[in-house]
Amino acid sequence: MKLYNGGKIITGLVIFLGIFLTPLAYNAGKAAYTQPKLKMPENEKQCVESKEFMRTQHMQLLNEWRDFALRDGKRVYVNSKGKEFEMSLQKTCMKCHTNKAEFCDKCHNDAAVTPYCWDCHIQPEGLKK
Amino acid sequence: MNHTRRNFLKFAGLTAAGLCVASAGSIMAAGAGATEKVSEKALKAKRWAMVIDTKKVGTKEAIDVLAKACHAAHNVPDIPGKQNVKWLWADGFEQAFDQPNNFMDESLEKRQFALLCNHCTNASCVRVCPTQATYKRPDGIVAMDYHRCIGCRYCMAACPFGARSFNFMEPRLHLDLTKLNKEFPTRMRGVVEKCNFCVELLAQGKQPACVEASAGALVFGDLSDPASEVRKVLREHYTIRRKPALGTEPSVYYII
Ligand code: SF4
Ligand code: SF4
């Protein structure tokens, strides 16, 4: 079998792979990703639902809370253990998680997501000009 | 297995069905066994309505007290000029009722009227909103979900009462950030806003902020209940509504 223009193709492939693998080279030797340390509420041990559930599904839960509260006028959430909470970001979530920078932002920054909650909702630290 | 087209299609169909079921499962976010309900404290009605005694609150100053209470409760900014945002405001008879009268009695001519969203039964704003950001609740309140508002301003064109304001700029630039009500959000640039009949206070068993601040000049209650306070006041006084000929059926009544 003969490879036409073999030199160019091989060189091209080498350059491509080189560029493609730069992120690996760049991060080589750096510490592996660790989950950020969050500032947990002091007076409360248990969130609305389990830690694992909140970690993966809080965004869907908040979406549902919004629709229940605004559309259906149902503002009380009874969790799987029978405990009741008012469905409100500012009046429930933020009463325990009193620091957006030390809680919300940590994971959101690491995950490179910028949820627009705070364009309207007031963060617990208050707003500064 | 025989690799026929028929078998391939069967397999592809099964896979697609499986994916549908799997993703449907993950849509159910609320924790297993969780439920939602209306708070026991909440005030309930079939059709909320308001009666405003314009003999008692008939001046700009008196109405400003109501507007302040409302705007403080809902973090409504005060922007100088034409781009102001207002949920409750004062205006004269002609602007309010669209029935100019060239020989009107003096007291009515000078009187100011507290104006706000009428929470119309046939709300034209609800009909035109393309995203259902503005919607009618079963208790008659015309509510807004600011998350969904795309700022098209159709509702502002449709509302015959000028009850809606557009956020031409970032409202937080015109709010006193030290005096915000931390129980209520602000809005962002590019959405429309208006009076919500204090739906968040009703859910806590409280009366609307302007009613609380009015020292009895505003009455709020269930229009469908003949024994309610609003019905009693309506029985005892002559009242009019804004622009009834348009057929939107306002829920705000004015004692003249
Ligand atoms: S007053 Fe205007 S904004 Fe309010 S419900 Fe009626 S049409 Fe809609
Ligand atoms: S401006 Fe917002 S609320 Fe008004 S019609 Fe458009 S989407 Fe609906």
Side-chain angles (χ1 to χ4, degrees), chain A residues 49 53 57 60-61 64 66-71 73-80 84 87 90-91 95 118-129, chain B residues 27 29-39 75 132-133 135 137 145 147-148 172-173 175 177 180-188 199-200 203-204:
Chain A
E49 294 287 350
F53 178 87
Q57 307 242 45
Q60 284 94 335
L61 186 80
E64 288 190 355
R66 173 196 62 212
D67 291 345
F68 279 126
L70 289 179
R71 305 263 160 186
K74 293 183 179 167
R75 291 181 184 244
V76 179
Y77 180 78
V78 190
N79 75 3
S80 32
E84 296 186 2
M87 295 192 226
Q90 277 170 239
K91 288 165 75 185
K95 287 279 148 77
W118 314 105
D119 289 354
C120 295
H121 288 284
I122 300 170
Q123 58 200 66
E125 303 94 306
L127 298 172
K128 283 180 219 79
K129 282 250 174 201
Chain B
I27 288 170
T35 51
E36 320 57 42
K37 62 175 189 184
V38 180
S39 162
N75 301 322
Q132 288 176 25
Y135 55 96
R137 290 168 33 116
D145 178 351
H147 302 91
R148 284 179 82 146
R172 286 180 177 183
L173 296 177
L175 278 165
L177 298 182
L180 291 178
N181 173 13
K182 280 201 170 185
E183 314 242 292
F184 202 80
T186 69
R187 264 66 58 201
M188 64 180 294
V199 64
E200 81 286 359
Q204 300 168 45

Side-chain angles (χ1 to χ4, degrees), chain B:
Chain B
M1 195 168 71
N2 203 355
H3 284 288
T4 61
R5 188 178 129 89
R6 190 180 163 81
N7 273 334
F8 173 77
L9 285 177
K10 274 187 195 161
F11 181 73
L14 268 180
T15 317
L19 281 174
C20 290
V21 173
S23 54
S26 66
I27 288 170
M28 308 284 288
T35 51
E36 320 57 42
K37 62 175 189 184
V38 180
S39 162
E40 283 96 20
K41 286 184 295 178
L43 302 180
K44 296 176 193 84
K46 284 218 182 69
R47 185 180 168 197
W48 287 117
M50 184 183 281
V51 183
I52 299 176
D53 191 337
T54 65
K55 290 181 196 144
K56 291 190 189 149
V57 275
T59 62
K60 177 95 173 55
E61 293 70 46
I63 294 164
D64 274 350
V65 173
L66 311 180
K68 272 225 173 68
C70 166
H71 293 177
H74 301 111
N75 301 322
V76 179
D78 190 14
I79 304 172
K82 277 189 175 169
Q83 302 190 345
N84 203 3
V85 177
K86 52 197 172 25
W87 285 27
L88 194 157
W89 70 103
D91 219 334
F93 186 89
E94 211 177 299
Q95 290 78 13
F97 298 104
D98 216 13
Q99 297 158 2
N101 183 342
N102 47 356
F103 298 114
M104 203 151 56
D105 78 83
E106 259 182 32
S107 77
L108 263 188
E109 202 175 8
K110 294 211 190 80
R111 201 177 294 171
Q112 291 280 301
F113 297 85
L115 306 181
L116 67 159
C117 168
N118 289 295
H119 298 272
C120 310
T121 305
N122 305 318
S124 41
C125 55
V126 172
R127 287 187 58 180
V128 299
C129 180
T131 62
Q132 288 176 25
T134 291
Y135 55 96
K136 184 108 190 133
R137 290 168 33 116
D139 59 5
I141 295 181
V142 173
M144 278 191 71
D145 178 351
Y146 299 111
H147 302 91
R148 284 179 82 146
C149 177
I150 53 170
C152 65
R153 304 177 67 201
Y154 283 7
C155 54
M156 294 180 71
C159 172
F161 305 100
R164 294 173 161 265
S165 306
F166 184 64
N167 283 287
F168 284 95
M169 61 185 90
E170 178 54 48
R172 286 180 177 183
L173 296 177
H174 294 274
L175 278 165
D176 184 350
L177 298 182
T178 56
K179 293 209 188 95
L180 291 178
N181 173 13
K182 280 201 170 185
E183 314 242 292
F184 202 80
T186 69
R187 264 66 58 201
M188 64 180 294
R189 201 187 94 214
V191 303
V192 166
E193 61 181 279
K194 69 164 194 80
C195 154
N196 66 351
F197 256 11
C198 283
V199 64
E200 81 286 359
L201 295 179
L202 299 175
Q204 300 168 45
K206 296 185 191 150
Q207 290 277 311
C210 57
V211 176
E212 283 291 333
S214 72
L218 270 54
V219 178
F220 191 79
D222 187 354
L223 204 57
S224 70
D225 172 12
S228 70
E229 185 70 12
V230 272
R231 286 287 293 275
K232 183 170 161 278
V233 177
L234 286 175
R235 266 197 300 276
E236 291 166 356
H237 298 273
Y238 173 67
T239 52
I240 56 173
R241 290 184 289 173
R242 295 182 71 191
K243 310 186 185 182
L246 297 177
T248 68
E249 294 287 336
S251 301
V252 178
Y253 294 76
Y254 293 85
I255 299 176
I256 294 300

Side-chain angles (χ1 to χ4, degrees), chain A residues 72-102:
Chain A
D72 305 342
K74 293 183 179 167
R75 291 181 184 244
V76 179
Y77 180 78
V78 190
N79 75 3
S80 32
K81 298 211 181 70
K83 199 166 168 211
E84 296 186 2
F85 298 87
E86 180 173 358
M87 295 192 226
S88 167
L89 182 67
Q90 277 170 239
K91 288 165 75 185
T92 302
C93 310
M94 297 297 118
K95 287 279 148 77
C96 284
H97 301 289
T98 51
N99 197 322
K100 168 179 170 270
E102 293 290 326

